[in-house]
Structure formats: C-alpha cells, structure tokens
Amino acid sequence: MNDELAIGVDIGGTKVAAGLVDAEGVILHRTRRDTPDRSSSPRVVEDTITDAVNELLAWADGEGREVEAVGIGAAGFVGADRGTVVFAPHLSWRDEPLRDSLGGRIGRPITVDNDANAAAWAESRFGAARDESHVVMITLGTGIGGALIIENELRRGQFGIAGEFGHMQVVPDGIRCECGNRGCWEQYASGNALVREARGLMTARSPVAQDLLARVHGDPSRLAGPLVTEAAREGDPTARELLAEIGHWLGVGIAGLAAAFDPGIFVIGGGVSAAGELLIEPARESYRRRLPGRGYRPEARIVEAALGPDAGLIGAADLARGGT
Ligand SMILES: [Zn+2]
C-alpha cells in the first residue's frame, strides 16, 4: 500500500483549511488560515496557501513521512487544465495560473479543482457514495454547487465548469438571480432562499414567525440558516415548514438532473445539508412526484453527505494523488 501522504487545501469564502491526508482519506494533521479578503492581490492568497502547506510539510517531515502531491480545491471556475482558476467569487483571481505560481514555491506536483468536484470525489471514494459509480453531488450553501461522477470519473466539461446546477431555471420568470437570469434553482433551494423566506415571514410580522423572531431578539437581519435548522430540530413548525419548502424545490431540481444523468445516488452536501432528513425527506417526496417516467424506472437514492466540511480537503488531496 502507498503510505505516502498528500496535502489537501480547501479555499473557502472565510477560511483556508489544509490537511495531511493518507491513502484511506484519513486526515492525520490539519491547519487553517483566514481567507485573505477580496481586495488582496493574488500573491497574498498564494502566500497564505504556501504558509499553510509549509507548516504541514514540516509536520510530515518531523514524523518521517513523505508528501507526494498537493491538491487545491477552490470555489469558482477552474480551467480544464486543472491549473488555472478562471474566476473565484471570493478572491481577486481572474485567469490565475495557480498551479504554476505555486509550483516553484512548494516543490511538489500540484492539481487544482473546483471545491464541489473535490467534495464529490471524497464522497465517492470514502463517504456516502463509496459503493456507487454514477454520482451527482449537490452542495447547498448560500447558493447551489455541484459535481458529476460518471463511471467513477469526475466529468468536468469541455471548459472545466460542468456541474453549476444552481443556475438551471426551475421557475419561468421567477425570482431574479445574481447571474442575471430569473427563476434559477438556487433562488429556491439554497441557504439564501431559506433565509429570504424566513425573513419574509418575520418582517410581515406573521404570528407563525414568533419562535424565529424570539431567537434573533426581534431583528430579522440577524437570522442565519443554521438558526432555522436549530429551531426546526427543537420542534418549531414554521422552521420545519421552511426547510420542507426548500426540500421540495431541491427534489424538483433533482428530478431534472435524474432525467439528464441517470445517477445511482444524489449526495447532498454543504452547510444546509446539516438539516438532514428535515430537508431530504421532503426532497425525496417531490423527486418521486416529478421524476420523468415515474413508476417505470428505478429511483436513485438521495442521501446526506458523510464527510461534512472536510470533504473538499480530503477530495483535493486524493485527486492530487492521481484521481481523475
Ligand atoms: Zn442564476
């Protein structure tokens, strides 16, 4: 067995998480840095990554372990060359040749991938989809990201940006989206949608929003998604209904994806997936009602991701070892 380690780096909107990962997907040691803000130069972001990687290399060295490669997962569009970040919403990167910029400083082979691709890879190798060969990953955060694995291989698309499921239109002439269109899926089935709907009830002074209002001391602007999940877990019927509504739209989009890709499993990850069955059971119900050819075709499973926030880091590391 290969006992060399790989380093995975997950660059998110608020933090850069990095870890030493073994061939079984186990994180042996980890570190983190704050993500430099959007106005920082690409060089500052590279310094942050290099600093975290060097800390892990020194730790591995102290343990007498070799590190064979470094994988980076970043939110945004990553070119099909797996070396260039075309666009990253949280950072100043525009057509940033990240692999080449970092290569000279880190001294290990480097691969770059989209963060949802990295998470999907981790779930398919070590997590919720480990027995499946056709996997659709859906990451529910502020928006919706995704990734596609067909016959055990990530499918990145001609230009490297396949899997941006959040901007499929599910409602004609629906809610305006920051992408410029209307009715995008992520306007109905994301963390932002959950918060928007909850705030709508609160500002309308709806009596059903009393529990939620009390949790933010009467100030709707203080509401965040995890608070709705917490209220739902503690039995607030309105919070449950809000999550069920998000779940309903989740299932509508999944039925469309099933028609296109025919996977064996949908893995639901990202922060909103922490709501678990409160979200996923309503998604299964609307998926079954909307599935094209329902009753005449096998149904894919819809499950919560197993690796939580570590999936991006673990997947980036494993992809750097030569995963495809
Ligand atoms: Zn959109």
Side-chain angles (χ1 to χ4, degrees), residues 45-316:
V45 185
E46 288 163 24
D47 289 346
T48 305
I49 297 169
T50 306
D51 188 50
V53 168
N54 282 337
E55 182 189 326
L56 295 175
L57 287 172
W59 189 89
D61 201 39
E63 298 286 311
R65 302 290 295 266
E66 297 291 328
V67 176
E68 63 173 300
V70 177
I72 294 173
F77 295 162
V78 176
D81 65 349
R82 299 176 68 197
T84 306
V85 180
V86 177
F87 170 76
H90 310 299
L91 299 166
S92 56
W93 289 338
R94 301 291 181 267
D95 289 317
E96 179 65 17
L98 188 63
R99 182 175 54 206
D100 293 344
S101 313
L102 289 173
R105 304 175 67 180
I106 288 174
R108 300 285 192 291
I110 294 172
T111 56
V112 185
D113 249 296
N114 168 270
D115 57 349
N117 282 346
W121 185 252
E123 293 291 344
S124 89
R125 290 270 290 137
F126 311 112
R130 59 185 308 165
D131 301 322
E132 300 280 350
S133 55
H134 293 66
V135 181
V136 173
M137 174 99 195
I138 296 163
T139 54
L140 299 180
T142 53
I144 298 179
L148 192 57
I149 290 173
I150 294 177
E151 290 174 356
N152 295 309
E153 286 188 16
L154 269 171
R155 301 295 188 199
R156 298 180 176 83
Q158 177 73 52
F159 307 106
I161 52 179
E164 294 290 335
F165 305 135
H167 299 285
M168 298 187 309
Q169 190 187 53
V170 294
V171 178
D173 299 325
I175 297 168
R176 176 72 78 183
C177 180
E178 64 189 27
C179 76
N181 296 330
R182 285 185 181 277
C184 292
W185 191 22
E186 70 176 34
Q187 293 302 321
Y188 298 86
S190 65
N192 278 358
L194 179 64
V195 168
R196 183 195 65 226
E197 292 301 306
R199 282 188 184 150
L201 278 178
M202 294 159 102
T203 51
R205 297 278 152 193
S206 167
V208 302
Q210 264 173 6
D211 181 330
L212 288 172
L213 264 172
R215 288 171 191 266
V216 293
H217 307 288
D219 179 3
S221 71
R222 292 170 66 176
L223 185 87
L227 229 144
V228 181
T229 301
E230 186 185 301
R233 284 240 166 80
E234 291 168 12
D236 174 32
T238 302
R240 285 176 174 246
E241 201 177 299
L242 287 165
L243 278 172
E245 199 179 341
I246 298 295
H248 160 74
W249 284 110
L250 180 60
V252 170
I254 285 176
L257 291 172
F261 300 118
D262 191 26
I265 190 169
F266 289 90
V267 179
I268 315 300
V272 184
S273 70
E277 289 300 307
L278 290 167
L279 175 81
I280 291 176
E281 188 47 38
R284 285 190 198 106
E285 283 169 24
S286 68
Y287 161 74
R288 283 186 200 116
R289 282 199 304 274
R290 297 279 189 129
L291 188 66
R294 48 196 167 276
Y296 297 95
R297 60 184 286 168
E299 285 179 16
R301 288 188 294 144
I302 303 174
V303 303
E304 187 182 343
L307 301 172
D310 287 334
L313 186 168
I314 294 169

Side-chain angles (χ1 to χ4, degrees), residues 25-45:
V26 177
I27 302 173
L28 302 184
H29 189 68
R30 61 168 82 220
T31 187
R32 61 186 281 178
R33 303 284 186 279
D34 292 333
T35 302
D37 67 52
R38 213 185 282 236
S39 61
S40 304
S41 76
R43 180 82 187 180
V44 173
V45 185

